[in-house]
Amino acid sequence: MHSADDVIDLIHLADSPEPSCRSVSVRVLGRYQPGILTGHDLLDCEIVVVAEESLSASFVVTSSLRT
């Protein structure tokens, strides 16, 4: 897992280590509703798809945290 600016790369799949490689990542951005009970959290997540250096897309999703 990589972390920067409170964003955690939960999954990162890539075909090569180069910065311009094709990749898919699932990133945890933070809590959706801070303040509710810890066991009932929802997380803001982002799915990032990179096909080329100049072609990428990201999709924001909300996921429940199950403990």
Side-chain angles (χ1 to χ4, degrees):
M1 274 191 288
H2 295 93
S3 178
D5 300 329
D6 295 331
V7 173
I8 298 172
D9 283 345
L10 189 60
I11 299 171
H12 181 79
L13 303 172
D15 64 353
S16 68
E18 300 296 322
S20 62
C21 68
R22 295 176 294 224
S23 66
V24 175
S25 299
V26 177
R27 306 175 80 198
V28 177
L29 304 174
R31 293 179 66 189
Y32 176 69
Q33 294 178 337
I36 61 174
L37 297 175
T38 304
H40 300 88
D41 280 350
L42 295 176
L43 300 175
D44 281 331
C45 300
E46 175 180 52
I47 300 170
V48 180
V49 179
V50 177
E52 297 176 7
E53 186 175 339
S54 61
L55 180 60
S56 64
S58 63
F59 309 93
V60 176
V61 294
T62 301
S63 175
S64 63
L65 176 65
R66 302 288 180 185
T67 57

